[in-house]
Amino acid sequence: MRSVVALCALFLLALGFAVAKECVFKTSAKEVGGISLKNVKPRPVNCPLGCETYVQSSSCLGWNGPIGALGPLGALGPISGSPFSPSAQFKFVGNFQEFFKWVSGSDKSLVLTNKENPLSAAGPLGDSFWDVMPSINDFTKHMQGGGLFSVLGPIGPLGALGPLGPLGPVGAHGYGSDKFGNYIDNTGKVQRKIGAVYNSSVTINWPLYEKYNQDFAKELGKQGLLDTSFMVKGMGSLNGDVYTITVTEPQYVTILVTPEILAKKFNLEVRSSTGVSVVKSESLDFTQWVQFYVSKSVLDAAGGSKKYDIIIKVDPLNCGLLSLVQCYMNYYLYVTGSTNWMLRRPHINYGGTYLQNC
């Protein structure tokens, strides 16, 4: 009897350890930044400026790169909502979507019904993602899921599925938006997806990329309605902000925190619904981002969907003596899921110390 009890105890202990150490394909700015490329597979050799250059803080992954405060995802970009941002206001017509309708002459998206639209087979999410992009050079070869530069590629926040693409605030969907950031059609109904022609026989329903109000995004997360396709302009603190996303299909999830002010640092962490840390980034010299893969087996084990908490905190090092009390700084959060459609063919099998590949 004692032996049976002991075996059961060992089984429960092993099960608990397995849950606590949930194995996830993941990487982050902290792991990629400054890494030696000697043990990276496939090893990057052929890059325009030398491959080692691209993992340094002075490169495109650093503060001055396209994912940093001075890039298109920062305060001076087209989606920030600043006075310089076309997503905020086109004063002569009202707002960007009204401007888009004025130019296109339609309340409907004529762009996404075109056979050569940005989300079609002719675009960056077509077969060129596998057949062309990896063969350009070793920099672009590492832009598939789990690659060194995936955050800069087609399935990241700078790509066609991100906020700058046809699904985002300045996109070609033709929907207006309410005060919370929901997209609404001409009847006032909230829309979360839109169809786009892929080829002559296939139309794909893509998740729209909302720009949510900070408090509303948090509330959506609590209700299980926050997906992997949205952005938030938020005010961060030492206490941290929590956004709970619900993943319902296999995909790579890329999360980026761009500071409003150059070189201001935030700490980024993703935890499972049980509180276990999945991946984090606390790099001193790089814009914070993480990427992780949610597999079908993980979703099946969780009953078809899985929740993750995104936690963003202001780094006390930025605050000086204010860190003894409280410190506030603005940021832009970008959550970009690859969708299951972008898993229709295998991605490159990357390897190296910069990621955990299970």
Side-chain angles (χ1 to χ4, degrees), residues 8-74:
C8 289
L10 286 173
F11 173 78
L12 291 173
L13 181 63
L15 180 61
F17 181 81
V19 171
K21 297 293 183 179
E22 179 181 303
C23 195
V24 177
F25 185 110
K26 60 187 180 181
T27 187
S28 69
K30 181 180 179 181
E31 301 301 327
V32 170
I35 189 177
S36 170
L37 302 182
K38 293 180 180 180
N39 297 320
V40 174
K41 297 178 182 178
R43 182 177 178 179
V45 176
N46 174 32
C47 299
L49 297 177
C51 296
E52 296 283 352
T53 303
Y54 291 93
V55 294
Q56 304 307 314
S57 59
S58 58
S59 76
C60 45
L61 295 175
W63 297 119
N64 295 317
I67 58 175
L70 299 181
L73 299 176

Short mmCIF file of all heavy atoms in Angstrom, two decimals, residues 8-74:
data_model
loop_
_atom_site.label_atom_id
_atom_site.label_comp_id
_atom_site.label_asym_id
_atom_site.label_seq_id
_atom_site.Cartn_x
_atom_site.Cartn_y
_atom_site.Cartn_z
N CYS A 8 2.26 7.17 -6.48
CA CYS A 8 1.31 8.24 -6.80
C CYS A 8 1.90 9.60 -6.47
O CYS A 8 1.73 10.58 -7.22
CB CYS A 8 0.01 8.04 -6.02
SG CYS A 8 -0.97 6.63 -6.61
N ALA A 9 2.59 9.68 -5.34
CA ALA A 9 3.20 10.94 -4.93
C ALA A 9 4.27 11.37 -5.93
O ALA A 9 4.36 12.55 -6.28
CB ALA A 9 3.81 10.80 -3.54
N LEU A 10 5.08 10.38 -6.36
CA LEU A 10 6.12 10.69 -7.35
C LEU A 10 5.51 11.15 -8.67
O LEU A 10 6.02 12.07 -9.33
CB LEU A 10 6.99 9.46 -7.59
CG LEU A 10 7.98 9.11 -6.47
CD1 LEU A 10 8.65 7.77 -6.75
CD2 LEU A 10 9.05 10.22 -6.36
N PHE A 11 4.40 10.50 -9.05
CA PHE A 11 3.73 10.89 -10.31
C PHE A 11 3.20 12.32 -10.23
O PHE A 11 3.36 13.11 -11.16
CB PHE A 11 2.56 9.92 -10.57
CG PHE A 11 1.72 10.33 -11.75
CD1 PHE A 11 2.15 10.10 -13.05
CD2 PHE A 11 0.49 10.96 -11.55
CE1 PHE A 11 1.36 10.49 -14.12
CE2 PHE A 11 -0.29 11.34 -12.62
CZ PHE A 11 0.15 11.11 -13.90
N LEU A 12 2.54 12.67 -9.10
CA LEU A 12 2.00 14.02 -8.93
C LEU A 12 3.11 15.05 -8.87
O LEU A 12 2.99 16.16 -9.40
CB LEU A 12 1.16 14.09 -7.65
CG LEU A 12 -0.15 13.31 -7.69
CD1 LEU A 12 -0.82 13.32 -6.31
CD2 LEU A 12 -1.10 13.89 -8.74
N LEU A 13 4.23 14.69 -8.24
CA LEU A 13 5.38 15.59 -8.17
C LEU A 13 5.95 15.84 -9.56
O LEU A 13 6.24 16.98 -9.93
CB LEU A 13 6.46 14.99 -7.27
CG LEU A 13 7.74 15.83 -7.09
CD1 LEU A 13 7.37 17.16 -6.40
CD2 LEU A 13 8.77 15.07 -6.25
N ALA A 14 6.06 14.77 -10.35
CA ALA A 14 6.58 14.90 -11.71
C ALA A 14 5.63 15.72 -12.57
O ALA A 14 6.05 16.55 -13.38
CB ALA A 14 6.78 13.51 -12.33
N LEU A 15 4.32 15.49 -12.38
CA LEU A 15 3.33 16.25 -13.14
C LEU A 15 3.39 17.73 -12.79
O LEU A 15 3.37 18.60 -13.67
CB LEU A 15 1.93 15.70 -12.84
CG LEU A 15 0.76 16.40 -13.57
CD1 LEU A 15 0.93 16.24 -15.07
CD2 LEU A 15 -0.57 15.82 -13.11
N GLY A 16 3.50 18.01 -11.50
CA GLY A 16 3.60 19.41 -11.07
C GLY A 16 4.85 20.06 -11.62
O GLY A 16 4.84 21.22 -12.04
N PHE A 17 5.97 19.35 -11.64
CA PHE A 17 7.22 19.87 -12.19
C PHE A 17 7.08 20.14 -13.67
O PHE A 17 7.56 21.15 -14.19
CB PHE A 17 8.36 18.87 -11.93
CG PHE A 17 9.69 19.35 -12.45
CD1 PHE A 17 10.45 20.25 -11.71
CD2 PHE A 17 10.17 18.91 -13.68
CE1 PHE A 17 11.67 20.70 -12.19
CE2 PHE A 17 11.40 19.35 -14.16
CZ PHE A 17 12.15 20.24 -13.41
N ALA A 18 6.38 19.22 -14.37
CA ALA A 18 6.19 19.40 -15.81
C ALA A 18 5.37 20.65 -16.11
O ALA A 18 5.63 21.39 -17.04
CB ALA A 18 5.50 18.16 -16.41
N VAL A 19 4.34 20.89 -15.29
CA VAL A 19 3.51 22.08 -15.47
C VAL A 19 4.32 23.34 -15.18
O VAL A 19 4.28 24.32 -15.91
CB VAL A 19 2.26 22.00 -14.57
CG1 VAL A 19 1.51 23.31 -14.59
CG2 VAL A 19 1.37 20.84 -15.00
N ALA A 20 5.08 23.30 -14.06
CA ALA A 20 5.86 24.47 -13.67
C ALA A 20 6.93 24.80 -14.70
O ALA A 20 7.32 25.94 -14.88
CB ALA A 20 6.50 24.22 -12.31
N LYS A 21 7.44 23.78 -15.38
CA LYS A 21 8.50 23.96 -16.36
C LYS A 21 7.97 23.81 -17.77
O LYS A 21 8.63 23.26 -18.64
CB LYS A 21 9.61 22.93 -16.10
CG LYS A 21 10.31 23.06 -14.75
CD LYS A 21 11.10 24.36 -14.66
CE LYS A 21 11.85 24.44 -13.36
NZ LYS A 21 12.65 25.67 -13.26
N GLU A 22 6.75 24.30 -18.00
CA GLU A 22 6.12 24.18 -19.31
C GLU A 22 7.09 24.56 -20.43
O GLU A 22 7.68 25.64 -20.44
CB GLU A 22 4.90 25.10 -19.36
CG GLU A 22 4.20 25.05 -20.71
CD GLU A 22 3.00 25.98 -20.72
OE1 GLU A 22 2.13 25.82 -19.86
OE2 GLU A 22 2.95 26.85 -21.60
N CYS A 23 7.27 23.66 -21.36
CA CYS A 23 8.27 23.82 -22.41
C CYS A 23 7.68 24.60 -23.58
O CYS A 23 6.70 24.18 -24.17
CB CYS A 23 8.75 22.45 -22.87
SG CYS A 23 10.25 22.51 -23.82
N VAL A 24 8.27 25.76 -23.88
CA VAL A 24 7.74 26.63 -24.92
C VAL A 24 8.89 27.10 -25.82
O VAL A 24 9.96 27.44 -25.35
CB VAL A 24 7.05 27.87 -24.29
CG1 VAL A 24 6.57 28.83 -25.37
CG2 VAL A 24 5.88 27.44 -23.42
N PHE A 25 8.63 27.10 -27.11
CA PHE A 25 9.57 27.65 -28.08
C PHE A 25 9.54 29.16 -27.91
O PHE A 25 8.51 29.80 -28.15
CB PHE A 25 9.11 27.24 -29.48
CG PHE A 25 10.05 27.63 -30.58
CD1 PHE A 25 10.77 26.68 -31.26
CD2 PHE A 25 10.19 28.96 -30.98
CE1 PHE A 25 11.62 27.03 -32.30
CE2 PHE A 25 11.02 29.31 -32.01
CZ PHE A 25 11.75 28.35 -32.67
N LYS A 26 10.66 29.76 -27.48
CA LYS A 26 10.62 31.18 -27.14
C LYS A 26 11.97 31.84 -27.34
O LYS A 26 13.02 31.19 -27.35
CB LYS A 26 10.20 31.34 -25.68
CG LYS A 26 11.16 30.64 -24.69
CD LYS A 26 10.64 30.66 -23.28
CE LYS A 26 11.61 29.96 -22.33
NZ LYS A 26 11.10 29.94 -20.95
N THR A 27 11.93 33.15 -27.50
CA THR A 27 13.13 33.96 -27.56
C THR A 27 12.77 35.38 -27.17
O THR A 27 11.60 35.69 -26.95
CB THR A 27 13.77 33.91 -28.97
OG1 THR A 27 15.03 34.58 -28.94
CG2 THR A 27 12.88 34.54 -30.01
N SER A 28 13.76 36.26 -27.06
CA SER A 28 13.50 37.62 -26.61
C SER A 28 14.65 38.54 -26.96
O SER A 28 15.73 38.10 -27.38
CB SER A 28 13.30 37.64 -25.08
OG SER A 28 14.52 37.36 -24.42
N ALA A 29 14.43 39.84 -26.77
CA ALA A 29 15.49 40.83 -27.00
C ALA A 29 16.68 40.56 -26.10
O ALA A 29 17.84 40.73 -26.51
CB ALA A 29 14.95 42.23 -26.75
N LYS A 30 16.42 40.13 -24.89
CA LYS A 30 17.50 39.85 -23.94
C LYS A 30 18.39 38.72 -24.43
O LYS A 30 19.60 38.76 -24.26
CB LYS A 30 16.90 39.49 -22.57
CG LYS A 30 17.94 39.21 -21.50
CD LYS A 30 17.27 38.86 -20.18
CE LYS A 30 18.32 38.55 -19.11
NZ LYS A 30 17.67 38.18 -17.82
N GLU A 31 17.79 37.70 -25.05
CA GLU A 31 18.55 36.54 -25.50
C GLU A 31 19.27 36.79 -26.83
O GLU A 31 20.36 36.28 -27.07
CB GLU A 31 17.62 35.33 -25.64
CG GLU A 31 16.91 34.94 -24.37
CD GLU A 31 17.86 34.61 -23.24
OE1 GLU A 31 18.96 34.09 -23.51
OE2 GLU A 31 17.52 34.90 -22.08
N VAL A 32 18.65 37.59 -27.71
CA VAL A 32 19.23 37.85 -29.04
C VAL A 32 20.30 38.93 -28.99
O VAL A 32 21.31 38.86 -29.67
CB VAL A 32 18.12 38.25 -30.04
CG1 VAL A 32 18.73 38.74 -31.35
CG2 VAL A 32 17.20 37.06 -30.30
N GLY A 33 20.07 39.96 -28.16
CA GLY A 33 20.96 41.10 -28.14
C GLY A 33 22.39 40.76 -27.77
O GLY A 33 22.67 40.24 -26.70
N GLY A 34 23.33 41.03 -28.68
CA GLY A 34 24.75 40.83 -28.43
C GLY A 34 25.21 39.39 -28.48
O GLY A 34 26.36 39.08 -28.13
N ILE A 35 24.37 38.48 -28.93
CA ILE A 35 24.72 37.06 -28.94
C ILE A 35 25.85 36.77 -29.93
O ILE A 35 25.98 37.43 -30.96
CB ILE A 35 23.48 36.22 -29.30
CG1 ILE A 35 23.76 34.73 -29.09
CG2 ILE A 35 23.03 36.49 -30.73
CD1 ILE A 35 22.55 33.84 -29.35
N SER A 36 26.67 35.79 -29.60
CA SER A 36 27.65 35.28 -30.55
C SER A 36 26.92 34.38 -31.54
O SER A 36 26.09 33.55 -31.15
CB SER A 36 28.73 34.48 -29.83
OG SER A 36 29.54 33.79 -30.77
N LEU A 37 27.22 34.55 -32.81
CA LEU A 37 26.52 33.78 -33.84
C LEU A 37 27.16 32.43 -34.14
O LEU A 37 26.66 31.69 -34.99
CB LEU A 37 26.45 34.61 -35.13
CG LEU A 37 25.76 35.98 -35.02
CD1 LEU A 37 25.73 36.66 -36.37
CD2 LEU A 37 24.37 35.85 -34.44
N LYS A 38 28.21 32.08 -33.43
CA LYS A 38 28.95 30.85 -33.72
C LYS A 38 28.08 29.60 -33.58
O LYS A 38 28.24 28.64 -34.34
CB LYS A 38 30.17 30.75 -32.81
CG LYS A 38 31.23 31.80 -33.08
CD LYS A 38 32.42 31.64 -32.15
CE LYS A 38 33.48 32.69 -32.43
NZ LYS A 38 34.65 32.56 -31.52
N ASN A 39 27.18 29.61 -32.59
CA ASN A 39 26.38 28.41 -32.33
C ASN A 39 24.94 28.53 -32.83
O ASN A 39 24.10 27.69 -32.52
CB ASN A 39 26.37 28.11 -30.83
CG ASN A 39 27.75 27.79 -30.29
OD1 ASN A 39 28.52 27.09 -30.96
ND2 ASN A 39 28.08 28.31 -29.12
N VAL A 40 24.66 29.58 -33.60
CA VAL A 40 23.32 29.76 -34.15
C VAL A 40 23.15 28.91 -35.40
O VAL A 40 24.05 28.85 -36.25
CB VAL A 40 23.07 31.25 -34.48
CG1 VAL A 40 21.73 31.43 -35.19
CG2 VAL A 40 23.11 32.09 -33.21
N LYS A 41 22.00 28.25 -35.51
CA LYS A 41 21.73 27.40 -36.69
C LYS A 41 20.40 27.79 -37.32
O LYS A 41 19.40 27.91 -36.60
CB LYS A 41 21.69 25.93 -36.27
CG LYS A 41 23.00 25.42 -35.72
CD LYS A 41 22.88 23.97 -35.29
CE LYS A 41 24.19 23.46 -34.70
NZ LYS A 41 24.06 22.06 -34.24
N PRO A 42 20.38 27.99 -38.65
CA PRO A 42 21.54 28.10 -39.53
C PRO A 42 22.35 29.34 -39.19
O PRO A 42 21.78 30.39 -38.88
CB PRO A 42 20.92 28.20 -40.93
CG PRO A 42 19.55 28.73 -40.70
CD PRO A 42 19.11 28.19 -39.38
N ARG A 43 23.67 29.22 -39.27
CA ARG A 43 24.53 30.32 -38.86
C ARG A 43 24.47 31.46 -39.88
O ARG A 43 24.70 31.23 -41.07
CB ARG A 43 25.96 29.86 -38.70
CG ARG A 43 26.90 30.98 -38.23
CD ARG A 43 28.31 30.49 -38.01
NE ARG A 43 29.17 31.60 -37.61
CZ ARG A 43 30.47 31.47 -37.34
NH1 ARG A 43 31.04 30.27 -37.43
NH2 ARG A 43 31.18 32.51 -37.00
N PRO A 44 24.16 32.68 -39.44
CA PRO A 44 24.15 33.81 -40.37
C PRO A 44 25.57 34.20 -40.78
O PRO A 44 26.41 34.47 -39.92
CB PRO A 44 23.49 34.93 -39.55
CG PRO A 44 22.85 34.25 -38.39
CD PRO A 44 23.68 33.04 -38.12
N VAL A 45 25.81 34.22 -42.06
CA VAL A 45 27.13 34.58 -42.60
C VAL A 45 27.01 35.70 -43.63
O VAL A 45 27.78 36.66 -43.65
CB VAL A 45 27.83 33.35 -43.22
CG1 VAL A 45 29.15 33.75 -43.85
CG2 VAL A 45 28.03 32.26 -42.18
N ASN A 46 26.00 35.58 -44.49
CA ASN A 46 25.83 36.51 -45.59
C ASN A 46 24.78 37.56 -45.26
O ASN A 46 23.58 37.35 -45.44
CB ASN A 46 25.43 35.74 -46.86
CG ASN A 46 25.10 36.66 -48.02
OD1 ASN A 46 25.65 37.75 -48.14
ND2 ASN A 46 24.19 36.22 -48.86
N CYS A 47 25.22 38.71 -44.72
CA CYS A 47 24.33 39.83 -44.40
C CYS A 47 24.90 41.10 -45.02
O CYS A 47 26.12 41.21 -45.20
CB CYS A 47 24.21 40.01 -42.89
SG CYS A 47 23.52 38.59 -42.00
N PRO A 48 24.06 42.06 -45.36
CA PRO A 48 24.52 43.27 -46.05
C PRO A 48 25.68 43.99 -45.37
O PRO A 48 26.60 44.45 -46.02
CB PRO A 48 23.27 44.14 -46.10
CG PRO A 48 22.14 43.18 -46.11
CD PRO A 48 22.58 42.05 -45.23
N LEU A 49 25.64 44.09 -44.02
CA LEU A 49 26.68 44.83 -43.29
C LEU A 49 27.48 43.95 -42.35
O LEU A 49 28.17 44.46 -41.46
CB LEU A 49 26.04 45.99 -42.50
CG LEU A 49 25.34 47.06 -43.33
CD1 LEU A 49 24.70 48.10 -42.41
CD2 LEU A 49 26.32 47.74 -44.27
N GLY A 50 27.43 42.65 -42.53
CA GLY A 50 28.07 41.75 -41.59
C GLY A 50 27.08 41.34 -40.53
O GLY A 50 26.50 42.19 -39.84
N CYS A 51 26.86 40.05 -40.38
CA CYS A 51 25.76 39.56 -39.55
C CYS A 51 25.90 39.91 -38.07
O CYS A 51 24.90 40.13 -37.38
CB CYS A 51 25.62 38.05 -39.74
SG CYS A 51 25.16 37.57 -41.43
N GLU A 52 27.14 39.97 -37.57
CA GLU A 52 27.35 40.31 -36.17
C GLU A 52 26.82 41.71 -35.85
O GLU A 52 26.38 42.00 -34.74
CB GLU A 52 28.84 40.23 -35.82
CG GLU A 52 29.45 38.84 -35.93
CD GLU A 52 29.09 37.94 -34.77
OE1 GLU A 52 28.48 38.45 -33.80
OE2 GLU A 52 29.42 36.74 -34.81
N THR A 53 26.85 42.59 -36.86
CA THR A 53 26.39 43.96 -36.67
C THR A 53 24.93 44.02 -36.26
O THR A 53 24.51 44.86 -35.45
CB THR A 53 26.58 44.78 -37.97
OG1 THR A 53 27.95 44.72 -38.35
CG2 THR A 53 26.14 46.22 -37.79
N TYR A 54 24.13 43.10 -36.78
CA TYR A 54 22.68 43.17 -36.61
C TYR A 54 22.18 42.72 -35.24
O TYR A 54 20.99 42.85 -34.96
CB TYR A 54 22.00 42.36 -37.71
CG TYR A 54 22.14 43.00 -39.07
CD1 TYR A 54 23.18 42.64 -39.92
CD2 TYR A 54 21.25 43.98 -39.51
CE1 TYR A 54 23.33 43.23 -41.17
CE2 TYR A 54 21.39 44.57 -40.75
CZ TYR A 54 22.43 44.20 -41.57
OH TYR A 54 22.58 44.79 -42.80
N VAL A 55 23.06 42.17 -34.42
CA VAL A 55 22.64 41.79 -33.07
C VAL A 55 23.24 42.72 -32.02
O VAL A 55 23.15 42.45 -30.82
CB VAL A 55 23.02 40.32 -32.75
CG1 VAL A 55 22.22 39.37 -33.62
CG2 VAL A 55 24.51 40.07 -32.92
N GLN A 56 23.82 43.83 -32.45
CA GLN A 56 24.37 44.81 -31.53
C GLN A 56 23.34 45.89 -31.22
O GLN A 56 22.38 46.10 -31.95
CB GLN A 56 25.64 45.46 -32.12
CG GLN A 56 26.73 44.46 -32.50
CD GLN A 56 27.10 43.52 -31.36
OE1 GLN A 56 27.29 43.96 -30.22
NE2 GLN A 56 27.20 42.23 -31.66
N SER A 57 23.56 46.60 -30.12
CA SER A 57 22.58 47.61 -29.69
C SER A 57 22.49 48.79 -30.64
O SER A 57 21.51 49.54 -30.62
CB SER A 57 22.94 48.11 -28.28
OG SER A 57 24.24 48.68 -28.27
N SER A 58 23.51 48.98 -31.48
CA SER A 58 23.48 50.06 -32.47
C SER A 58 22.75 49.67 -33.74
O SER A 58 22.65 50.46 -34.68
CB SER A 58 24.93 50.48 -32.81
OG SER A 58 25.65 49.36 -33.32
N SER A 59 22.19 48.46 -33.76
CA SER A 59 21.57 47.92 -34.97
C SER A 59 20.06 48.17 -34.97
O SER A 59 19.52 48.92 -34.16
CB SER A 59 21.83 46.42 -35.07
OG SER A 59 20.99 45.72 -34.14
N CYS A 60 19.39 47.47 -35.88
CA CYS A 60 17.93 47.61 -36.02
C CYS A 60 17.16 47.07 -34.82
O CYS A 60 15.96 47.33 -34.69
CB CYS A 60 17.48 46.91 -37.30
SG CYS A 60 18.21 45.28 -37.52
N LEU A 61 17.80 46.33 -33.94
CA LEU A 61 17.13 45.82 -32.75
C LEU A 61 17.28 46.77 -31.56
O LEU A 61 16.64 46.57 -30.53
CB LEU A 61 17.69 44.44 -32.37
CG LEU A 61 17.44 43.31 -33.36
CD1 LEU A 61 18.17 42.05 -32.92
CD2 LEU A 61 15.95 43.04 -33.53
N GLY A 62 18.14 47.78 -31.72
CA GLY A 62 18.43 48.70 -30.63
C GLY A 62 17.46 49.86 -30.54
O GLY A 62 16.45 49.93 -31.24
N TRP A 63 17.80 50.83 -29.67
CA TRP A 63 16.92 51.96 -29.40
C TRP A 63 16.62 52.78 -30.66
O TRP A 63 15.55 53.36 -30.80
CB TRP A 63 17.54 52.88 -28.35
CG TRP A 63 17.75 52.25 -27.01
CD1 TRP A 63 18.93 52.08 -26.35
CD2 TRP A 63 16.75 51.74 -26.12
NE1 TRP A 63 18.74 51.47 -25.13
CE2 TRP A 63 17.41 51.26 -24.97
CE3 TRP A 63 15.36 51.63 -26.19
CZ2 TRP A 63 16.73 50.70 -23.89
CZ3 TRP A 63 14.69 51.06 -25.13
CH2 TRP A 63 15.36 50.60 -23.99
N ASN A 64 17.61 52.85 -31.58
CA ASN A 64 17.45 53.69 -32.76
C ASN A 64 16.86 52.94 -33.96
O ASN A 64 16.74 53.50 -35.04
CB ASN A 64 18.81 54.28 -33.17
CG ASN A 64 19.34 55.24 -32.13
OD1 ASN A 64 18.60 56.06 -31.60
ND2 ASN A 64 20.62 55.14 -31.82
N GLY A 65 16.51 51.68 -33.78
CA GLY A 65 16.00 50.86 -34.88
C GLY A 65 14.51 51.08 -35.13
O GLY A 65 13.84 51.86 -34.44
N PRO A 66 13.94 50.37 -36.09
CA PRO A 66 12.54 50.55 -36.47
C PRO A 66 11.53 50.14 -35.41
O PRO A 66 10.37 50.54 -35.50
CB PRO A 66 12.40 49.70 -37.74
CG PRO A 66 13.51 48.69 -37.64
CD PRO A 66 14.64 49.40 -36.96
N ILE A 67 11.95 49.34 -34.43
CA ILE A 67 11.02 48.99 -33.35
C ILE A 67 11.22 49.86 -32.12
O ILE A 67 10.57 49.68 -31.10
CB ILE A 67 11.14 47.49 -32.96
CG1 ILE A 67 12.56 47.15 -32.53
CG2 ILE A 67 10.70 46.61 -34.11
CD1 ILE A 67 12.72 45.73 -32.02
N GLY A 68 12.16 50.83 -32.23
CA GLY A 68 12.44 51.73 -31.12
C GLY A 68 11.58 52.99 -31.14
O GLY A 68 10.71 53.17 -32.00
N ALA A 69 11.87 53.89 -30.22
CA ALA A 69 11.05 55.09 -30.03
C ALA A 69 11.08 56.02 -31.24
O ALA A 69 10.14 56.79 -31.44
CB ALA A 69 11.53 55.84 -28.78
N LEU A 70 12.15 55.99 -32.02
CA LEU A 70 12.26 56.88 -33.17
C LEU A 70 11.74 56.25 -34.47
O LEU A 70 11.76 56.89 -35.51
CB LEU A 70 13.73 57.30 -33.36
CG LEU A 70 14.37 58.06 -32.20
CD1 LEU A 70 15.80 58.43 -32.54
CD2 LEU A 70 13.57 59.31 -31.86
N GLY A 71 11.29 55.01 -34.39
CA GLY A 71 10.82 54.29 -35.58
C GLY A 71 9.34 54.51 -35.84
O GLY A 71 8.66 55.28 -35.14
N PRO A 72 8.79 53.81 -36.82
CA PRO A 72 7.38 53.97 -37.20
C PRO A 72 6.39 53.50 -36.15
O PRO A 72 5.20 53.83 -36.24
CB PRO A 72 7.26 53.14 -38.48
CG PRO A 72 8.36 52.13 -38.37
CD PRO A 72 9.49 52.83 -37.69
N LEU A 73 6.86 52.76 -35.14
CA LEU A 73 5.98 52.31 -34.07
C LEU A 73 6.05 53.22 -32.85
O LEU A 73 5.39 52.97 -31.84
CB LEU A 73 6.34 50.88 -33.66
CG LEU A 73 6.21 49.83 -34.77
CD1 LEU A 73 6.70 48.46 -34.28
CD2 LEU A 73 4.78 49.73 -35.27
N GLY A 74 6.86 54.28 -32.95
CA GLY A 74 7.02 55.22 -31.85
C GLY A 74 6.12 56.43 -31.99
O GLY A 74 5.18 56.47 -32.80
#
